[in-house]
Amino acid sequence: MKRSNQKHVGARLAALGLAAVVGVTACSEESPTSVGESVLPGAPVTLQIEIPWEEFASNLQVLGGYGAPSELGTGVLANGYAGTLNARSLMRFGSYPTAASVTDTAGTTVTDTDLTFVSGRVVARFRRAASSASDPVELSLGLMDESWHRPSASWTLAEDTIGSQIAWSAPGGGTVSPLVTATWTPIGGGDSVAFALDSAQIAAWEEEDARDLGARLDMVTAGHRVHVSSVGLTLIARPSVNPDTLIEVPVQNPELTFIYDPPAAPPAVGIRIGGAPSWRTVLDLAVPTTLTGPSELCDAVGCPVTLEPGEVSFAGLVLTSREPEGAYLPLDSLRVDARPVLDSDALPKAPLGSALVGGGGLGISGSFFSSDVGSTVEIPITPMIRDLISGTNPSTGLPYPNTLALLTPSEPLSIAYGSFYGPDAVEGLRPLLRLVVTVGPSVELP
């Protein structure tokens, strides 16, 4: 067992209750093989142990730059949200279809390769729970005038790769040729809005160069942040085999990303998880292996008690929420995971172990970072704590990793991030480790 893990904890131990009655009553008949009055050892005791930061953790770091907004496949719109945030969504669509299955005038389904596109519409769908707007907001759609690189485009750069950095002619996606505006009504108006396009606009977009440039979606109404879950382009076509009818033909392979300003600055203090690109928080753990209290434990089983991995039924890292920068406030929820860092020397790009939080991460309500700021969140890390108490991995002969990463289940998950108090906070707000353990007395043979 690593010596760094052999810590004694006698403070902040709260008895949850006894798994059985403390002590053993005298037996009515004494067994000839027993010693003293009892055949059985004392009953096991279940305890909740709250360990303060300075006794279990150190070396907290907040690391950023994981993933890019383009990996989300969604969009964000903002115009001065929280007084600072501006965001625009960029999109591209594939080639127009050259054929469609159509019912001709004889009622037979045939493949028509001579379609005339007479109009179309771009439909943007929104996630209302992740959007700040409740009243109607005006949005605008325009054709891009400059090329851009979807994986690396940002507010200032149309392309940002190792071999090429190309700035927009103006920050925020350069210039656009306006197409149309539309109003989205979040309450009572559904979760989508359609931008109607006429035949001339559709024709202008059909050229390959124009399709490669794509389109930009902007928020006109100030003061809101809106989450765009998807976009789609549908063409209205007149088939040659039945010119008296119109058909709808979807354009395949839509691309969607977003650019925003300003980027979130690294936090001076505390814990941060999430954002796009995403933030992680890492810390080193040192788990106690010997218990010297409280009195309920010592009276029942005797102290000191050496803690075994199987005696830990639950281990959770308890964090207290704090309010993040308003521009990046989680509006619906935040999902948080925890993973061991397999090689801490390789940070910030160290490989990570398996997820410690099941079910796609722990869901945390967005209200925890606004109206309910100061609420506590418990992130389960039981497998890692058991491993650290074990000390050495029997399959490798090496100590188990003792560095923990707090992150979102996928990086990035959204533009929003969660903030929590760190070890710099006042007493009562700092992170703590909560263990639930069941221990019993040692059994000695006569």
Side-chain angles (χ1 to χ4, degrees):
M1 186 173 292
K2 295 190 293 182
R3 294 188 60 174
S4 62
N5 283 342
Q6 294 176 346
K7 300 185 68 178
H8 296 253
V9 175
R12 300 186 68 176
L13 299 178
L16 284 181
L18 304 182
V21 178
V22 176
V24 179
T25 58
C27 296
S28 58
E29 295 183 6
E30 186 173 310
S31 167
T33 59
S34 67
V35 177
E37 296 182 345
S38 178
V39 182
L40 302 173
V45 179
T46 298
L47 300 168
Q48 175 177 275
I49 307 171
E50 291 186 347
I51 307 173
W53 170 270
E54 58 272 13
E55 294 185 25
F56 81 90
S58 60
N59 301 327
L60 184 141
Q61 302 178 71
V62 177
L63 307 172
Y66 296 95
S70 60
E71 297 176 40
L72 284 167
T74 57
V76 176
L77 302 176
N79 182 356
Y81 176 65
T84 60
L85 182 67
N86 295 300
R88 294 166 176 170
S89 294
L90 313 182
M91 65 192 76
R92 289 196 191 99
F93 299 99
S95 301
Y96 285 9
T98 58
S101 295
V102 180
T103 302
D104 63 16
T105 55
T108 303
T109 300
V110 298
T111 300
D112 192 339
T113 59
D114 185 14
L115 303 174
T116 301
F117 299 119
V118 298
S119 62
R121 64 180 180 274
V122 171
V123 176
R125 290 179 171 82
F126 308 100
R127 186 176 176 185
R128 285 182 288 185
S131 302
S132 68
S134 55
D135 295 327
V137 291
E138 186 179 3
L139 313 172
S140 66
L141 181 70
L143 290 178
M144 301 280 290
D145 294 331
E146 302 170 39
S147 61
W148 47 284
H149 183 240
R150 180 175 177 266
S152 66
S154 66
W155 189 263
T156 56
L157 297 174
E159 181 176 346
D160 185 11
T161 60
I162 295 177
S164 178
Q165 284 192 326
I166 302 174
W168 299 107
S169 62
T175 60
V176 297
S177 300
L179 285 175
V180 66
T181 62
T183 299
W184 177 46
T185 304
I187 298 179
D191 62 357
S192 64
V193 66
F195 298 85
L197 305 175
D198 60 29
S199 58
Q201 292 167 328
I202 288 295
W205 210 349
E206 187 174 11
E207 300 299 324
E208 182 176 355
D209 289 345
R211 287 200 315 273
D212 287 342
L213 294 178
R216 192 180 84 197
L217 186 58
D218 291 17
M219 170 77 74
V220 177
T221 305
H224 291 291
R225 192 183 85 201
V226 169
H227 178 94
V228 185
S229 57
S230 67
V231 294
L233 172 61
T234 298
L235 302 175
I236 311 301
R238 177 174 287 111
S240 62
V241 298
N242 192 353
D244 292 334
T245 65
L246 295 176
I247 61 172
E248 294 188 352
V249 185
V251 177
Q252 303 299 317
N253 303 318
E255 295 181 357
L256 178 63
T257 187
F258 64 93
I259 55 178
Y260 70 94
D261 181 70
V269 295
I271 292 169
R272 180 181 293 180
I273 304 170
S278 195
W279 300 86
R280 295 178 185 173
T281 296
V282 298
L283 59 146
D284 292 340
L285 301 177
V287 183
T289 58
T290 303
L291 308 180
T292 58
S295 59
E296 292 90 343
L297 172 66
C298 298
D299 291 346
V301 300
C303 289
V305 177
T306 300
L307 193 60
E308 299 295 334
E311 294 172 331
V312 177
S313 58
F314 177 82
L317 180 63
V318 180
L319 304 178
T320 302
S321 65
R322 64 185 298 175
E323 190 172 354
E325 293 179 69
Y328 308 104
L329 179 73
L331 296 175
D332 54 349
S333 63
L334 176 76
R335 301 202 72 82
V336 174
D337 199 0
R339 295 172 180 259
V341 178
L342 300 182
D343 182 6
S344 59
D345 291 336
L347 287 170
K349 296 186 177 180
L352 302 180
S354 300
L356 300 173
V357 184
L362 175 69
I364 303 173
S365 170
S367 66
F368 275 38
F369 306 100
S370 54
S371 58
D372 296 326
V373 69
S375 299
T376 57
V377 173
E378 191 166 46
I379 302 172
I381 55 173
T382 308
M384 185 172 181
I385 295 301
R386 288 174 176 166
D387 286 344
L388 291 177
I389 293 173
S390 298
T392 302
N393 187 337
S395 63
T396 64
L398 299 174
Y400 281 105
N402 72 325
T403 301
L404 176 70
L406 304 174
L407 66 165
T408 52
S410 60
E411 294 179 305
L413 189 63
S414 77
I415 193 174
Y417 63 76
S419 293
F420 303 90
Y421 287 100
D424 55 285
V426 299
E427 181 105 18
L429 296 178
R430 298 172 193 155
L432 59 86
L433 179 65
R434 189 174 76 89
L435 306 180
V436 177
V437 300
T438 300
V439 294
S442 60
V443 178
E444 296 182 4
L445 297 178

